Every structure is written in structure tokens, then in C-alpha cells.
């Protein structure tokens, strides 16, 4: 899919009134959510509260609730008089009432038969279609909380009584048709102790003192409401009454005396909020508004029609929870006046109220603060939730998930994206027309989609399918291109989804070039969409901000740029290489170079390259350069420049024969932790009499390209498994090989840090196998001496074998194959190779130090002269001085000094045996460096007892063998 668009500017901000200039408080998004406290959405079983069918045969016009509440005994008594229209012949009518006792039922004032089982009250009516009739249910008892995850109904606190019924708990304190699709007027006549005030829906007409310590408060409704919005809130309240000058209604707030001063502050913006929302949504729809505070644990707040219930914690005196007040107020339009038909569409209530938080933030603190709020409190909040809870749809949530982030934050994000998609003017027209059209009615999602399509003139099927009916949050990858004359810019954007939902998106991009800023609306699709614009600046010189102001809900948005993978400075040249940017779509490549400190790039090739590498033979030794490349496509566009890599070619002298680079971490001397001296002595013995230079990375760091270029051959060894420094020096080592150097590389897990480009270039098309467990016994070769693991240098748990071994499948020139424990994937595979191109690189998948010294010496003495003929050949080497053992005096009493010579460093053991072959004393068992050593034997056994006179055998075990010698103790 491709489209050509012209540049347009996104709106700067939608602000109807001047923002006030005080600091934005640390608002907590979760405070305005009707979440379970604590959240239990995913642990509770699914519970179907109602059948999703609004055609139930009758229409309740009005409920008149008369109720006496005893806050001490928690007993209620009263009746509910309902006025009903029969839409069809009505033999019976069914209400919901749970855990309370019905004492009598009247139909049109006459006693009527009824049954009351399982929470259903079935009343015999026999009413003809079109007739208006009344039912009156007298009932009483002790209200119970709903047994599902919400645990709500009529709640008796220490100094309050209040009701919370959303979604289905009205039936736990009054009989009604307890489903959201049958709205009715509600009057309440509530009798309670006369030192308390009762807050409820509608207008308070009067309070009648009954002369017995109780009073009856009358609240009369003027607008239909759903049953879950009916409320009673009672306690020792004080009132805070407010007016909205521009409108003909008042505000009644009920708070505890100790909250009064704080509430004055927290409610001070409520009249302005009412006016602001009336301007952008439509005139406030009800006869009054108010808030009542309670000690509530289930929800944070509840949008009861005309009388919101607020948790006590919301009243702080610093307006920290003002967005909760805004959220619940917005519900009066969306959720209360315009109600969803069933809870499948609960997002039409909660999503709209949540989005009002952004609108109020914009009004109070400006557009940027509102955009930041969308990013943190909608997008990121929801992503964090989905990461732990899994992808879910907005539409038709499970019963226990009605009040979870999909209905709140994700839905608010969707409304924000709809605003972007249909335009600012259309969006606010939609909000007003939606309210004006369906005020007092019930709605479903398809009606909202239809109205949005009608106003915008757009087909929004895909938008609603992916965001409302689909699941998952997409990610986007994009690339930026321009024509060589920078007259056009192209952005290719591709969406990816973690679910089966395909996402087609609109994402604002901000291009800033100097003082000029432009906003481009970029389309993204699963196939990748090419967005082309007329433009006049080099995008490479622009600051580009994708998803500007966080309009679109995304898991991430990342730029796809060409990636320069190798930049090998060498002797008189530099090699750069890369992988194809888009397989099958790249037309060719341009390579650029500049001197460090120069901002101007020079193209090194006039004709497009087809290959994915380039050797710059014009580079001068000692001059620092930077390299990058760009991709050309078949439409004549060039990509943004790749990442930049530095390179400084060096002149190689090759004046010295051999450099030994010791990458091994200096250890403690334990079996698998050799000291620096132990490692140095091992290689000194293996290389003698070759003359070489030693480079210790532990003290000198990694050798530079210039240092390496002084030597014809480098032996690089890393004989510990806790670090691999070579990964930070691959370009230097690669450039050295490229310039004619020779390398033998040995180490534990060293192959793992060689990137694929390095391996392919210098080792060939091989794949790596890795055996982590101790499995290598030895390596075999038809050309070189076998290499056996030195058990004296391993740990007991390894059973004389080495772990962490790499083998090389597909090697063209193998030197050794691995003899490994049965079941090892590398058994019989190449474990050491030599490159077949120019025989300059030898790679081992194991550390030489942990192999037996004799084999290592034979191997190095043979292969190093092959790599560098200037080194002495193996046949010319003077044999090592053999191991020796002596003691003096002999015979001895009471002690003797034992002297021994160790030709190569390694594990040494010294023990004393009697003539029966029984060990009587362990004298030494440790790793020693090559050379002369001595110890004193005091004539005692392992139990510190004196030995008897006699002849004993002294046994000396070393890496190259074993020596025995008789010594005599004479007393």
C-alpha cells in the first residue's frame, strides 16, 4: 500500500479556556479508577450477572423506595413501589432480591401471589399489553454483601451507612429489575437516626423529624437511571454547597467534620469543572450534582447519578486527587445519562470518564502536561498491566474484569487515537452529538462507531476491529528515505502484533530542522506502508520524533537504519561490510567517508555497489576516518545514513616474530584459577626456545592494531571462563589478519564473542556447537600431537574432563576433532580449525592451558613455525630438562630435605609409602610453576606419629609422569 501526501501541521493544542499557572500535582492515575481494591480481576471465576437481552416484555417507569435503616442492628425494613408499562402480555414479572425476606406483594394495590427463591422474586401479574400498572414489594432483613469478587451492596461502617451496587448489587438491598438496560426514575424516602444526614440521588425535597430519634429524608429523581447508580449515603455529615454561576443547578457535597477544611480546597475547582465539561460535552444533564465521602475499600470512587461517592482518602487538602473528581463527574454524561446497554460495552462509560482526566489536565495545566498524562497514565499504565495479565479485548470483558485497565486506560487511549484519526473538530462534535442523541438512553459500541463514521466520513471498521474487538498492542518499525535532491521524503512504517490482530495505524512524526518544525502523519501496516511527502530539507539533518506527543498506543517504535557491521582498519586500507537492508528490495549501496572532525561526507563509489562490502584502498595510514553507508531503493530514494564507525589504518612493520597475548584473568592458584605466573610458565615451557614478547591484558589492557602490526604472528590465549575481553578488540584483530598477520586463538568460550562477520571472514562458513557440561576428554589429529585434558588442573566434579567447549561444524580445514563423553553434541566434530583461504588463522574451541603440557608443546612447536617460518622448527628444539627427585640426607633421622625439578608448570603431588604399598604420609598436592622446588619431611605420618625405622618409597607425580625413590629412616 502506498500513498502520497502533502505536509500538514498537527494542531498545537485544544484549549477552550486559559490554563492556570500553578504546578501540576503528583496525580496518581489509579486513584480515579473503579478497580477492585486489592485487584482480583484475574483470580475470580467468571460470573454472568445478567442476560444480554433488553427485550424483557416490560418497561419500569419509576421506583419509589421507602426504607427504614437501623445502623445499630443493620436491619432494614421498607417497600419499593414500581410503576411499570407492559410491552407485551405479562402473566408474571420478575425482580431480583437476594438474602432479604419479602413479607407481601401488591399489584395495583391488591395482594398478589409470588415466589421468592434463588434471588428471584416472581410476581403473578396478568397484565395486558400497553397497560400501566404498579407493583409494591414489602421486605426486610439484614442486607448481605454480594458473594462474588466485588463484595458490595449496603455497607455498614463505624459511622456511615452507604450503598455501592455496580455492577449487580442493587438486588442485595432493594428489589428491582436489576439490569442496566431498563432505566427508571427513582425517589427515595430514607428513615434513619436524626443526627445523621442522608445523601442520595435527585433533589432533596425535605427532611421530616419523626419525633422518635429518627428522621425521614426525601430525595426525588427527575431523570431515569440504571439500578446500579441508585445510592444511599448516610453519616454525621456537614454540607458544602456550591453554585455554578453559568448553570441553573447547585452542588451539594457531604463530608465529615474533620474533612471540612480539606474538602473546601479539594472541591474548589468543581464548579469550573462542571462548566468546562458542559461546554465540551453538552449541558450538564441532571437536576444537581454532589459528592459524599465514605470509608470505602472496594473501589476508589463511584459515579452514582447526581451524587458521587468518594473514598475518604481522596480528600487531602492539596487537590492531589482532583482527577478522580473529574473522572466521576464526567460519568454523569457518559455512563449515567448515556448508559451502556450491557456490561459488554462498559468501556463506553469507563473509557470516556478516564479520557476526561486528560481533558481536565489540558484545561488546568496545558497541552504538554496532558500529552504526558496520556503517555504515563494511559499508555504505559496499560502496557505494564497487560505485560503481567496478558492481552485482552476492550469489548465484552469477563464479569470479574469489568473494572480493569482494558475498560479504563486502554479505552481512553483508543479515544485519544480516534481523536487523531477523525480530527479534533470531528472528535468534539462526536462527544457532543453522542450525548445529545442518547441522553437518557442505553447504547452499544456499534452505535458509537456508526456515529463516528457519519461525522468523520471515514470507514472505521478496521479501527474498531483492532482496538475495541481485537487484542494486543502493536509495535512499529520505520525507516526514513529521501531523494538525492531532498525534494521528497519517504517513511516506510510496518506494524507488528503480539496477537492475531492486524494493526493499521496513524502515527504523528515531528521533523525539526533548525527553527522549522513540521508534523507528518505516518500510516503503518503489517505489510509496511510507504508514506511519501513533498519536502525541502535533508532528513539526515533533522531531529525526528516518532509518535510525537505519544498519540498512538504502541509497545515500541524503533527506527530501522542500515547497520554497518564491520569497519576493519588495516595496513593501508579499511574494509567496511554490512548485511542487506531489505532482502530483494535494495537496488545498491553507497559508502561514505569523512575525516574525524569534518562534518562533510564524501561518497567513495559513484556507481551503486551490489556487494555488501567495500575495501577503501585510498585510506592513508595514521589518519583517523569515519565511515557510513546508505541504501538506494528502486524508486531512487536513499536511506538515512547507517551507524558511523571509526577506523585509523596503520602501517604494519612485522619486525618481530611472535607476540603472546595473555587475556587470562589473574587467578588465585586454585585448580581452575591459575595465577599469572602459572600460566606464563606453562606457555614459556611450551614455546621454549622460541623468542617472543608477552602482552598481559590484565596489566596493559588490550593490544592496539598498531601494536599487533609489529608482529608476524600472534598467539592469543584466554584460559579463564569468567571473562572474554576479545569482544572489545575484534576490529583490531580482524584488521591485523586482513593486513597479513597470522593468529592462533585459544580460549574458554572465546568463540562465543566472535561475531558472525568475523567468523565468516576468517574461519569460513562454520556453525558453532556448544557443550556446557564437562565432556572433553582429548582432541585427536592426523597431523599434530594428540591433546589430553590435564586432570590435575580440573575440579573433582569434572571427572578429568573439560566443560564449555565449542566445536565447528562445516570447517573446511579441521586440525583436531573432539573426543568427548557419550551424548555430547560436539563428539567427533572439529574442535580446532585453520582457515582454508590463506592459512593465517587458527581457532581452538578449548583452552590450551588445561591440556597436558607435552601435547601442547608438541602442537605449538609444530604449528607456529608453519604459520611463521622465521620461528625455529620442532626438530631443532633442545629437549626439556627431565623431572628429577632427590633427598638429603638419606638415610635420615629425624628429617630430610626433598628436592625436585618440575619441567613444566602444573599439578604436583608428593607422597610417602611403606614397602607394602600403603600410603603413610601426603607431603604435597598443589599446582607449582616449572623449576626447582624443595620441602622438608620430619619423619611423621599423617596422624602426626613418628614412623618406625625402615625403608620407604617417595612417589613424585607431575604433569609429564611419575618418579619414585627409596629413602631410609634410621633411629
Amino acid at each position: 500500500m502506498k500513498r502520497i501526501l502533502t505536509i500538514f501541521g498537527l494542531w498545537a493544542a485544544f484549549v477552550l479556556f486559559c490554563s492556570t499557572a500553578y504546578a501540576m500535582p503528583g496525580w496518581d492515575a489509579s486513584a480515579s479508577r473503579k478497580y477492585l481494591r486489592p485487584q482480583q480481576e484475574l483470580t475470580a471465576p467468571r460470573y454472568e450477572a445478567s442476560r444480554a437481552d433488553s427485550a424483557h416484555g416490560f418497561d419500569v417507569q419509576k421506583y419509589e423506595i421507602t426504607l427504614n435503616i437501623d445502623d445499630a442492628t443493620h436491619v432494614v425494613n421498607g417497600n419499593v413501589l414500581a410503576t411499570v408499562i407492559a410491552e407485551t402480555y405479562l402473566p408474571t414479572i420478575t425482580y431480583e432480591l437476594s438474602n432479604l425476606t419479602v413479607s407481601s406483594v401488591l399489584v395495583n394495590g391488591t395482594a398478589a401471589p409470588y415466589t421468592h427463591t434463588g434471588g428471584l422474586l416472581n410476581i403473578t401479574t396478568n397484565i395486558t399489553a400497553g397497560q400501566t400498572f404498579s407493583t409494591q414489594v414489602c421486605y426486610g432483613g439484614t442486607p448481605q454483601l454480594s458473594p462474588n469478587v466485588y463484595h458490595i451492596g449496603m455497607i455498614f461502617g463505624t459511622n456511615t451507612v452507604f450503598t455501592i451496587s455496580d455492577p449487580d448489587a442493587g438486588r442485595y438491598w432493594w428489589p428491582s429489575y436489576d439490569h442496566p438496560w431498563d432505566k427508571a426514575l427513582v425517589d427515595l424516602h430514607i428513615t434513619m437516626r436524626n443526627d445523621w444526614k442522608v445523601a442520595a440521588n435527585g433533589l432533596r425535597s425535605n427532611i421530616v423529624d419523626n419525633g422518635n430519634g429518627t428522621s425521614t429524608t426525601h430525595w426525588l429523581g427527575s431523570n431515569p437511571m440504571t439500578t446500579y447508580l441508585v445510592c444511599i449515603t448516610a453519616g454525621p455529615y456537614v454540607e458544602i454547597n456550591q453554585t455554578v454561576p453559568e448553570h441553573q443547578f447547585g452542588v451539594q457535597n457531604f463530608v465529615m467534620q474533620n474533612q471540612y477544611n480539606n474538602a473546601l480546597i479539594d472541591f474548589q475547582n468543581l464548579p469550573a469543572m462542571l462548566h468546562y465539561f458542559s461546554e465540551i460535552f453538552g449541558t450538564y444533564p441532571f437536576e444537581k450534582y454532589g459528592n459524599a465521602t465514605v470509608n470505602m475499600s472496594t473501589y476508589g470512587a463511584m459515579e452514582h447519578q447526581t451524587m458521587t461517592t468518594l473514598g475518604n482518602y481522596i480528600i487531602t487538602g492539596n487537590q492531589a486527587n482532583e482527577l478522580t473528581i473529574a473522572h466521576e463527574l464526567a460519568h454523569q454524561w457518559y455512563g449515567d445519562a448515556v448508559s451502556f446497554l450491557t456490561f459488554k460495552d462498559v468501556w463506553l462509560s469507563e473509557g470516556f470518564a478516564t479520557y476526561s482526566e486528560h481533558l481536565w489536565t489540558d484545561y488546568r495545566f496545558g497541552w504538554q502536561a496532558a500529552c504526558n498524562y496520556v503517555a504515563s497514565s494511559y499508555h504505559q499504565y496499560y502496557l505494564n498491566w497487560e505485560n503481567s495479565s496478558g492481552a485482552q479485548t476492550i469489548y465484552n470483558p469477563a464479569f470479574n474484569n469489568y473494572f480493569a485497565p482494558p475498560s479504563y486506560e486502554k479505552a481512553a487511549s483508543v479515544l485519544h487515537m480516534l481523536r487523531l484519526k477523525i480530527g479534533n473538530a470531528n472528535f468534539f462534535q462526536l462527544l457532543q452529538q453522542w450525548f445529545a442523541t442518547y441522553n437518557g438512553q442505553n447504547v452499544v459500541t456499534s452505535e458509537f462507531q456508526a456515529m463516528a463514521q457519519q461525522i468523520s466520513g471515514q470507514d472505521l471498521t478496521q479501527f474498531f476491529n483492532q482496538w475495541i474487538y481485537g487484542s494486543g498492542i502493536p509495535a512499529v518499525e520505520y525507516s526514513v528515505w529521501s531523494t538525492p535532491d531532498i525534494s521528497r521524503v519517504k517513511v516506510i512504517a510496518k506494524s507488528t502484533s503480539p496477537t492475531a490482530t492486524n494493526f493499521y495505524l496513524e502515527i504523528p512524526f515531528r521533523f525539526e530542522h533548525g527553527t522549522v518544525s513540521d508534523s507528518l502523519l505516518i500510516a503503518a501496516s503489517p505489510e509496511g506502508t510507504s508514506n511519501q511527502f513533498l519536502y525541502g530539507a535533508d532528513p539526515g539533518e533533522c531531529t525526528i520524533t516518532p509518535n510525537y506527543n505519544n498519540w498512538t498506543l504502541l509497545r515500541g517504535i524503533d527506527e530501522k537504519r542500515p547497520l554497518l557491521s564491520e569497519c576493519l582498519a588495516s595496513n593501508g586500507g579499511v574494509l567496511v561490510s554490512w548485511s542487506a537492508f531489505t532482502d530483494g528490495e535494495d537496488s545498491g549501496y553507497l559508502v561514505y567517508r569523512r575525516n574525524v572532525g569534518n562534518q562533510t561526507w564524501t561518497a567513495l563509489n559513484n556507481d551503486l555497489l551490489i556487494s555488501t562490502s567495500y575495501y577503501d584502498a585510498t585510506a592513508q595510514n595514521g589518519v583517523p576516518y569515519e565511515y557510513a553507508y546508505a541504501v538506494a531503493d528502486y524508486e531512487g530514494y536513499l536511506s538515512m545514513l547507517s551507524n558511523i564507525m571509526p577506523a585509523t589504518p596503520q602501517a604494519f612493520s612485522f619486525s618481530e616474530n611472535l607476540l603472546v597475548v595473555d587475556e587470562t584473568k589473574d587467578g588465585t592458584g586454585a585448580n581452575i584459577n591459575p595465577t599469572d605466573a602459572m600460566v606464563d610458565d606453562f606457555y614459556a615451557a611450551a614455546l621454549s626456545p622460541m623468542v617472543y614478547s608477552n602482552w598481559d591484558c590484565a596489566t596493559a589492557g588490550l593490544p592496539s592494531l598498531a601494536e599487533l602490526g609489529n608482529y608476524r604472528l600472534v598467539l592469543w590465549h584466554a584460559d579463564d571462563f569468567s571473562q572474554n575481553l576479545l569482544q572489545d578488540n575484534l576490529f583490531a584483530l580482524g584488521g591485523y589478519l586482513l593486513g597479513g598477520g597470522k593468529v592462533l586463538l585459544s580460549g574458554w568460550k572465546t568463540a562465543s564473542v566472535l561475531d558472525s562477520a568475523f567468523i565468516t571472514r576468517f574461519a569460513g562458513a562454520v556453525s558453532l556447537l556448544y557443550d556446557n557440561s564437562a565432556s572433553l576428554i582429548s582432541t585427536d589429529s592426523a597431523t599434530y600431537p594428540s591433546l589430553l585434558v590435564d586432570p590435575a588442573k580440573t575440579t573433582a566434579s569434572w571427572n578429568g574432563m573439560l566443560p564449555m567447549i565449542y566445536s565447528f561444524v562445516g570447517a573446511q580445514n579441521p586440525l583436531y576433532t573432539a573426543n568427548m563423553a557419550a551424548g555430547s553434541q560436539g563428539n567427533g566434530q572439529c574442535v580446532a580449525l585453520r582457515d582454508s583461504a590463506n592459512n593465517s588463522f587458527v581457532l581452538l574451541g578449548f583452552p590450551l592451558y588445561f591440556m597436558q603440557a607435552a601435547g601442547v608443546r608438541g602442537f605449538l612447536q609444530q604449528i607456529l613455525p608453519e604459520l611463521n617460518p622465521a620461528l625455529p622448527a620442532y626438530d631443532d628444539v633442545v629437549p626439556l630438562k627431565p623431572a628429577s627427585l632427590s633427598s638429603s640426607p638419606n638415610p635420615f633421622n629425624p628429617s630430610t630435605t626433598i628436592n625436585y625439578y618440575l619441567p613444566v608448570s602444573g599439578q604436583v603431588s608428593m607422597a610417602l609409602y611403606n614397602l607394602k604399598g600403603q600410603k603413610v604420609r601426603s607431603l604435597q598436592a598443589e599446582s607449582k610453576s616449572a623449576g626447582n622446588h624443595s620441602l622438608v619431611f620430619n619423619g611423621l605420618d599423617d596422624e602426626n606419629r613418628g614412623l618406625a625405622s625402615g625403608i620407604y618409597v617417595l612417589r613424585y607425580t607431575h604433569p609429564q609422569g611419575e618418579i619414585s625413590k627409596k629413602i631410609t629412616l634410621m633411629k
Side-chain angles (χ1 to χ4, degrees), residues 93 239 281 288 559 576 667 750 910:
I93 190 169
E239 292 186 41
F281 300 153
K288 75 122 181 8
E559 182 181 9
V576 292
T750 298
M910 191 81 65

Side-chain angles (χ1 to χ4, degrees), residues 80 507 658 690:
V80 175
I507 307 165
L658 178 61
M690 296 180 188

Side-chain angles (χ1 to χ4, degrees), residues 853-894:
V856 173
R857 175 174 169 77
F859 168 60
L860 293 179
Q861 294 288 342
Q862 185 175 345
I863 196 168
L864 294 183
E866 293 174 7
L867 293 168
N868 180 10
L871 294 171
Y874 183 73
D875 290 342
D876 298 331
V877 174
V878 177
L880 287 174
K881 175 184 175 182
S884 62
L885 176 67
S886 64
S887 67
S888 178
N890 186 21
F892 68 95
N893 182 25

Side-chain angles (χ1 to χ4, degrees), residues 584-738:
E585 296 185 19
D586 297 353
S587 174
Y589 309 99
L590 289 174
V591 178
Y592 296 88
R593 186 187 77 189
R594 69 184 180 190
N595 289 45
V596 172
N598 190 340
Q599 298 302 308
T600 302
W601 291 99
T602 301
L604 296 178
N605 56 303
N606 294 320
D607 298 326
L608 293 178
L609 295 172
I610 304 302
S611 66
T612 55
S613 65
Y614 180 83
Y615 185 75
D616 178 14
T618 66
Q620 299 180 22
N621 288 330
V623 177
Y625 298 104
E626 290 179 328
Y627 290 84
Y629 85 102
V631 183
D633 71 5
Y634 286 99
E635 292 185 315
Y637 282 84
L638 289 177
S639 71
M640 298 280 275
L641 279 183
S642 71
N643 56 313
I644 299 170
M645 285 190 170
T648 304
Q650 301 289 338
F652 293 175
S653 69
F654 290 143
S655 58
E656 304 292 335
N657 282 328
L658 178 61
L659 176 67
V660 177
V661 177
D662 179 9
E663 189 191 322
T664 310
K665 182 179 178 181
D666 294 346
T668 62
N671 286 13
I672 58 173
N673 238 333
T675 65
D676 184 55
M678 293 164 66
V679 174
D680 289 347
D681 289 347
F682 174 83
Y683 284 98
L687 295 172
S688 176
M690 296 180 188
V691 176
Y692 62 90
S693 299
N694 190 67
W695 186 280
D696 187 1
C697 294
T699 57
L702 293 166
S704 66
L705 176 66
E707 184 66 36
L708 295 173
N710 293 325
Y711 298 87
R712 298 185 182 93
L713 174 61
V714 173
L715 168 58
W716 190 303
H717 63 89
D719 303 295
D720 70 89
F721 56 83
S722 60
Q723 68 175 13
N724 274 291
L725 304 178
L726 183 57
Q727 61 188 342
D728 298 323
N729 217 44
L730 286 183
F731 283 177
L733 193 64
Y736 170 71
L737 283 166
L738 192 67

Side-chain angles (χ1 to χ4, degrees), residues 89-93 107 123-128 131:
Y89 167 65
L90 207 64
T92 62
I93 190 169
V107 175
I123 304 170
T124 300
T125 53
N126 290 319
I127 301 297
T128 59
Q131 182 179 348

Side-chain angles (χ1 to χ4, degrees), residues 62-63 65 174 184-188 201 219-221 223 225 230:
K62 183 177 181 178
Y63 296 105
I65 303 171
W174 68 288
L185 297 173
V186 178
D187 289 348
L188 296 108
N201 317 97
W219 289 90
L220 306 181
N223 295 276
M225 74 177 83
V230 179

